[in-house]
Amino acid sequence: MGREIVIGLVGKPSSGKSTTLNALTDANAKVGAFPFTTIDPNKATGYLEIDCACARFGKQDKCKPNYGYCRNGKRGVPIMLLDVAGLVPNAHLGRGLGNKFLSDLTEADCLIHIVDASGTTDAEGKATRGYDPLNDIDWLQNEIFYWILGNLKERWGSVKRRHIATKQTTLETMRQQLGGYVANKKLIGQALDLIPDLPPLQDWDDEMLENVVRAFMEVKFPTVLSLNKMDHPDADKNVSKIILKYPKSKAVLCSSITEVFLRKLVAQNFIKYDPGTEFVDTKEDLPDDPNLRDVDEKLMNRIENIRDLVLYRFGSTGVVQLLQAAAELLELVPVYPVRHINNFTGNSGDSVFRDCILVKRGTPVISVARKIMGDVTIAAIEGVGGMKIGEEDTVDVGKNDILSFKLVPGSKT
């Protein structure tokens, strides 16, 4: 059946991690039951916003997802978030909740690192001015690096001896050593492939072992940098420094506290707001809207400030874009299993595209079927227009992403 994709949120105290988590798990967005069987105390359901297939076929009015939501063709697909606690310097040495923090981290397929880009909190999260947030990014990467490297070095002599004695492949030996970090053989192979002219394992020196760990981190912990508090006057210079030092990193400018405030105003009927955009309307903008309440001068000034300092300047608060950036790093594609391929409905009623799952680009269609239905016997697979699709055909955005599975009579679902 496969495990759920997990996005880990990390960040030092006062960086805005809790506020970001609240924005990503907004209770107002929750429609329908949760798709996950268990949610631990440090897990929550976030919503990845995508362009729903219903808009492709002009069926927005009939789209009623079993999980998440769909609003005018913008769909919120539930995705598991992991709130990784215990972030303190020297976590790899067991300081604070260091061991728990690092073991929790292994469950994540991707990290969103909430960085205080304003430089107004120090390494411990205490108020200051002029702190360099580059330190936080370097520190997180180093904590993970030294933790994994330390675990490997502790037993490297016996690992090398066993490798030589059993004549195993480098991939198999490293699978045994790195599999505990929730990493399969394919992922570890991808990491080893990143290193040109990789020598035999028995010839690895300390430098090569460090290179292997860095490569493993690159594929195991792809990271989105959430450069939070972007509207602070000091943020600009810090953002420039971060992007200059980490040009390959996916960075998203954010103001999570603004997002939470705007959603609160929506709930109180003071504004109409389209999350992920710059569009905010008040009663003054939409005088004929009976649901909007009048806004007093003080609140109007706050809204105008948000428009000028955040929305018009950056195009959005950046919060919606965080999960989208994580999905891009993981190459996730939305796939819509339907019962009836001609009208995209389910077992009953005329609602369309009731279900949507996220799978990695290039996943074989048969693997999608297994993820949804388990070990059943598939008689045929159909795509849009009743087109026959082979089991080994792969999914991509807009390609083999709407599927109907016909089971052999008597198969269990």
Side-chain angles (χ1 to χ4, degrees):
M1 291 286 283
R3 57 186 282 275
E4 294 295 340
I5 296 291
V6 178
I7 310 291
L9 265 67
V10 297
K12 71 184 183 186
S14 302
S15 61
K17 182 162 69 81
S18 298
T19 311
T20 303
L21 187 67
N22 288 340
L24 292 173
T25 59
D26 180 21
N28 296 321
K30 293 174 186 172
V31 179
F34 290 122
F36 310 121
T37 50
T38 59
I39 292 193
D40 298 331
N42 62 335
K43 286 184 181 167
T45 302
Y47 297 90
L48 169 65
E49 193 153 291
I50 60 167
D51 291 324
C52 185
C54 68
R56 261 187 259 169
F57 301 94
K59 292 180 177 283
Q60 293 94 320
D61 58 329
K62 290 189 174 182
C63 192
K64 294 180 174 58
N66 282 322
Y67 309 113
Y69 60 87
C70 186
R71 299 174 187 140
N72 301 317
K74 293 292 183 183
R75 187 171 185 132
V77 183
I79 192 165
M80 188 79 82
L81 301 181
L82 175 69
D83 183 10
V84 183
L87 193 62
V88 292
N90 291 320
H92 72 280
L93 300 176
R95 183 166 174 248
L97 298 172
N99 292 329
K100 182 181 187 319
F101 154 59
L102 290 163
S103 60
D104 280 352
L105 203 68
T106 61
E107 198 177 343
D109 299 287
C110 177
L111 301 179
I112 295 177
H113 184 187
I114 316 298
V115 178
D116 178 359
S118 71
T120 55
T121 49
D122 65 15
E124 305 279 349
K126 298 186 178 106
T128 186
R129 284 297 294 270
Y131 177 80
D132 189 349
L134 269 175
N135 296 335
D136 296 335
I137 301 169
D138 295 340
W139 166 78
L140 177 70
Q141 296 298 316
N142 287 336
E143 287 296 334
I144 301 170
F145 172 74
Y146 286 118
W147 178 54
I148 298 172
L149 183 66
N151 290 341
L152 271 176
K153 276 191 166 181
E154 200 173 299
R155 54 181 185 268
W156 191 244
S158 61
V159 168
K160 196 183 284 190
R161 286 192 296 274
R162 192 181 307 115
H163 175 76
I164 295 168
T166 58
K167 298 181 179 177
Q168 284 182 326
T169 63
T170 295
L171 179 57
E172 180 55 33
T173 294
M174 293 313 294
R175 185 198 64 76
Q176 292 170 359
Q177 299 309 311
L178 298 174
Y181 301 98
V182 193
N184 59 27
K185 199 169 183 177
K186 182 180 177 184
L187 189 146
I188 295 166
Q190 288 171 346
L192 296 176
D193 286 344
L194 291 177
I195 302 171
D197 304 319
L198 183 70
L201 184 140
Q202 61 267 26
D203 296 335
W204 291 3
D205 56 13
D206 284 353
E207 184 180 353
M208 182 53 64
L209 195 57
E210 290 176 10
N211 290 341
V212 168
V213 172
R214 293 282 186 202
F216 175 66
M217 283 174 57
E218 193 172 325
V219 296
K220 169 58 188 164
F221 298 112
T223 302
V224 176
L225 298 177
S226 170
L227 306 183
N228 197 30
K229 307 182 189 178
M230 64 182 179
D231 46 324
H232 190 279
D234 293 347
D236 280 357
K237 67 176 190 295
N238 291 328
V239 166
S240 299
K241 276 172 31 180
I242 290 167
I243 291 174
L244 198 63
K245 180 163 183 183
Y246 293 96
K248 293 181 181 177
S249 294
K250 195 170 278 291
V252 178
L253 301 182
C254 269
S255 177
S256 55
I257 197 165
T258 300
E259 181 71 20
V260 169
F261 179 63
L262 289 174
R263 294 193 185 194
K264 188 183 293 183
L265 294 186
V266 170
Q268 295 170 346
N269 293 319
F270 282 120
I271 62 169
K272 282 276 180 71
Y273 169 53
D274 189 5
T277 74
E278 64 192 67
F279 302 115
V280 170
D281 293 309
T282 64
K283 185 74 170 176
E284 190 177 291
D285 304 302
L286 303 170
D288 297 330
D289 190 323
N291 298 316
L292 283 177
R293 296 164 59 188
D294 288 321
V295 176
D296 63 29
E297 186 180 353
K298 184 179 177 184
L299 183 54
M300 181 57 81
N301 285 337
R302 287 193 70 181
I303 293 170
E304 287 299 337
N305 280 337
I306 285 171
R307 282 170 168 161
D308 292 340
L309 297 176
V310 178
L311 299 179
Y312 294 159
R313 188 171 172 216
F314 298 103
S316 76
T317 66
V319 170
V320 166
Q321 286 77 11
L322 282 178
L323 290 184
Q324 292 172 339
E328 282 178 33
L329 277 181
L330 292 171
E331 298 186 298
L332 297 183
V333 175
V335 175
Y336 306 85
V338 298
R339 176 71 65 164
H340 305 291
I341 198 65
N342 294 322
N343 58 13
F344 313 123
T345 57
N347 285 329
S348 59
D350 63 352
S351 296
V352 300
F353 301 115
R354 300 301 305 274
D355 294 303
C356 177
I357 64 166
L358 299 168
V359 301
K360 196 172 182 67
R361 175 182 284 115
T363 298
V365 167
I366 189 62
S367 299
V368 177
R370 296 277 178 266
K371 181 176 174 67
I372 298 166
M373 296 177 290
D375 193 15
V376 295
T377 307
I378 307 290
I381 305 167
E382 292 181 345
V384 175
M387 181 181 65
K388 299 298 180 189
I389 295 176
E391 291 187 352
E392 296 308 315
D393 286 348
T394 58
V395 301
D396 205 332
V397 177
K399 177 196 164 195
N400 299 333
D401 62 340
I402 301 172
L403 300 167
S404 179
F405 301 104
K406 310 299 179 188
L407 304 184
V408 169
S411 286
K412 292 181 180 180
T413 58

